[in-house]
């Protein structure tokens, strides 16, 4: 799914969250409980749902597809999960901001799933959640050296992506196929 298309649709529908945040909240919910309620997530993303609002209806359809795609990616044993962030042709500032919003949304989703005390989680998950929280609340990043900043952004976003997969695996181990290929 394209971040840009979903973002525009969410803006048109006056949703409470952008595409990065919406996916991140879904991820936070799903890594704790892969059977999380899509309808409750949609209500959170959109606040008041107006069944007569055509723009909102379109955005809800796209958001529902995002939820299903995210759920499928998190269950993919080939680690096909990707963060829904702006493309490389967007400014570095826009991409860093979206990554920070993604991290904040993920922590929100974890909390909404019922995990209030990270101390009850496995150690690796606790450490990753602390790092993701810090990334989401870091404030402004120094973007003066564009090349170095691009590399740092790529490394941080990959760290977050792999961290989410590790948290998902620790909280909900993938069921290995009994067939040998």
């Amino acid at each position: 799914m394209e971040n840009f298309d979903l973002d525009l649709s969410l803006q048109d529908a006056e949703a409470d969250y952008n595409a990065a945040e919406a996916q991140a909240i879904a991820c936070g919910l799903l890594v704790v409980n892969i059977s999380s309620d899509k309808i409750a997530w949609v209500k959170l993303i959109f606040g008041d749902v107006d069944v007569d609002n055509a723009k909102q209806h379109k955005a809800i359809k796209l958001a529902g597809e995002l939820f299903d795609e995210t759920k499928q990616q998190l269950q993919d044993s080939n680690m096909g999960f990707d963060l829904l962030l702006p493309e490389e042709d967007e400014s570095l500032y826009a991409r860093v901001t979206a990554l920070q919003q993604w991290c904040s949304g993920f922590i929100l989703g974890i909390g909404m799933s019922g995990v209030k005390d990270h101390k009850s989680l496995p150690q690796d998950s606790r450490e990753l959640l602390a790092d993701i929280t810090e990334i989401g609340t870091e404030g402004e990043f120094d973007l003066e050296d564009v090349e170095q900043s691009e590399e740092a952004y790529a490394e941080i976003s990959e760290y977050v992506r792999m961290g989410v997969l590790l948290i998902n695996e620790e909280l909900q181990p993938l069921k290995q196929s009994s067939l040998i290929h």
Side-chain angles (χ1 to χ4, degrees), residues 88 92 95 99 148-160:
E88 288 184 20
L92 181 59
R95 289 180 285 140
L99 178 60
Q148 188 176 26
S149 296
E150 285 285 351
E151 288 176 20
Y153 170 79
E155 288 174 13
I156 292 169
S157 58
E158 180 63 9
Y159 176 78
V160 170

Side-chain angles (χ1 to χ4, degrees), residues 174-181:
L174 290 174
K175 308 280 188 285
Q176 296 298 321
S177 172
S178 60
L179 297 176
I180 299 175
H181 299 277

Side-chain angles (χ1 to χ4, degrees), residues 7 38 65 89 94 109 124 140 170 180:
D7 250 348
K38 180 170 49 173
E65 291 171 7
D89 60 345
D124 287 340
E140 290 190 31
E170 283 194 338
I180 299 175

Side-chain angles (χ1 to χ4, degrees), residues 18 28 43 50 52 54 65 68 77 80 92-93 96 104 113 130 136 144 148 150 157 159 178:
N18 64 33
K43 288 178 181 176
D50 178 4
D52 295 325
E65 291 171 7
D68 293 340
S77 62
L92 181 59
Y93 177 79
V96 167
S104 295
S113 70
E144 292 299 316
Q148 188 176 26
E150 285 285 351
S157 58
Y159 176 78
S178 60

Side-chain angles (χ1 to χ4, degrees), residues 85-86 90-101 143 153:
L85 297 171
E90 292 287 324
S91 73
L92 181 59
Y93 177 79
R95 289 180 285 140
V96 167
T97 300
L99 178 60
Q100 289 177 304
Q101 292 169 335
L143 303 174
Y153 170 79

Side-chain angles (χ1 to χ4, degrees), residues 26-34 36 74 106 110 164-165 167-172:
C27 285
L29 292 168
L30 291 166
V31 299
V32 175
N33 178 4
I34 199 67
S36 289
L74 287 171
F106 182 71
I110 293 281
V164 168
L165 289 171
I167 292 168
N168 185 59
E169 182 62 22
E170 283 194 338
L171 300 183
Q172 299 191 87

Side-chain angles (χ1 to χ4, degrees), residues 22-107:
Q23 186 206 33
I25 294 168
C27 285
L29 292 168
L30 291 166
V31 299
V32 175
N33 178 4
I34 199 67
S35 298
S36 289
D37 184 10
K38 180 170 49 173
I39 302 301
W41 172 80
V42 164
K43 288 178 181 176
L44 170 74
I45 301 304
F46 289 93
D48 294 328
V49 176
D50 178 4
V51 293
D52 295 325
N53 182 332
K55 289 180 180 180
Q56 195 178 63
H57 180 74
K58 176 185 174 191
I60 288 171
K61 182 180 182 300
L62 287 173
E65 291 171 7
L66 170 67
F67 187 92
D68 293 340
E69 183 179 303
T70 300
K71 183 176 181 176
Q72 180 183 18
Q73 287 180 358
L74 287 171
Q75 294 176 310
D76 180 6
S77 62
N78 294 321
M79 298 190 304
F81 169 71
D82 285 315
L83 304 179
L84 186 60
L85 297 171
E87 298 294 325
E88 288 184 20
D89 60 345
E90 292 287 324
S91 73
L92 181 59
Y93 177 79
R95 289 180 285 140
V96 167
T97 300
L99 178 60
Q100 289 177 304
Q101 292 169 335
W102 198 100
C103 291
S104 295
F106 182 71
I107 298 302

